[in-house]
Amino acid sequence: MNKDGNIKGKFNIIDLLVIILIIAVIAGIAVRFGSKITMAVKSDEEFEYIVKIESVRQFTVDALEKKGKISDKKATVDLGEIIDVQKEPAVFLSETADGRMVYANQPDRYTVYVTIRTHGKESDNSYITADSEELSVGRNTDIYSKYVHTTGSIMSVKKLSD
């Protein structure tokens, strides 16, 4: 400050850029942490989705075949029920001695397709579970049950009630 109580210096382009940067950071945080999914919720619906779990041992297949309820990690929210389990031998891409790429079975490993029925909300462009997770094809999801904890990729989602 000078002797008249004014701040020395003038407002310049650097000051303007700093102010714009601060506003952009605040707007970015608001967009990132603002939930657009739950804003346009239309209804409470029943869904079925299929989760593909790759390269698991027979122990995991047996645990999934016991079916039962699934929940969140702390077992506080009911996220549905396993209603069907299909398995097939797991395969991987392998290179042969002559340089060709072929699919080969992985010994003692399986690819499992787990069908889960759950209740949730439907919004304009997505389905949302009871723990506010979006159900969309390609998204990874965790399965926690009394018998198993595993992770897979959602292959399909369909609404049961129309």
Side-chain angles (χ1 to χ4, degrees):
M1 280 199 203
N2 63 14
K3 61 183 176 182
D4 297 328
N6 296 327
I7 297 175
K8 286 189 176 182
K10 294 182 179 179
F11 188 77
N12 61 29
I13 191 75
I14 304 284
D15 297 329
L16 180 63
L17 291 175
V18 169
I19 291 170
I20 290 172
L21 179 66
I22 291 171
I23 291 171
V25 168
I26 292 171
I29 290 171
V31 168
R32 171 65 177 101
F33 293 107
S35 178
K36 294 181 277 185
I37 293 174
T38 56
M39 290 176 153
V41 172
K42 291 181 180 176
S43 60
D44 187 23
E45 300 289 344
E46 188 173 31
F47 307 105
E48 268 186 17
Y49 61 103
I50 299 174
V51 178
K52 180 181 181 181
I53 306 166
E54 297 184 283
S55 190
V56 296
R57 296 174 292 156
Q58 184 63 44
F59 174 81
T60 304
V61 174
D62 294 342
L64 287 166
E65 286 178 340
K66 291 180 181 178
K67 300 184 180 175
K69 300 277 185 190
I70 61 169
S71 65
D72 64 339
K73 186 175 185 176
K74 296 181 181 177
T76 57
V77 178
D78 180 12
L79 297 179
E81 184 174 1
I82 297 172
I83 59 167
D84 189 37
V85 177
Q86 301 291 324
K87 76 173 184 178
E88 60 186 34
V91 294
F92 66 99
L93 200 54
S94 176
E95 186 174 359
T96 62
D98 61 355
R100 290 181 300 122
M101 299 299 285
V102 296
Y103 286 100
N105 285 343
Q106 271 185 311
D108 301 322
R109 296 288 180 155
Y110 301 94
T111 297
V112 182
Y113 297 90
V114 180
T115 304
I116 299 169
R117 185 171 292 157
T118 187
H119 286 279
K121 304 283 185 192
E122 178 184 16
S123 71
D124 288 336
N125 56 3
S126 64
Y127 303 122
I128 305 155
T129 63
D131 67 341
S132 299
E133 290 293 320
E134 182 180 358
L135 291 178
S136 58
V137 174
R139 184 180 182 111
N140 287 337
T141 186
D142 291 327
I143 297 175
Y144 293 95
S145 79
K146 183 177 179 181
Y147 309 107
V148 68
H149 166 229
T150 189
T151 302
S153 178
I154 298 174
M155 300 303 293
S156 70
V157 181
K158 70 177 179 178
K159 183 171 79 168
L160 296 179
S161 52
D162 280 327

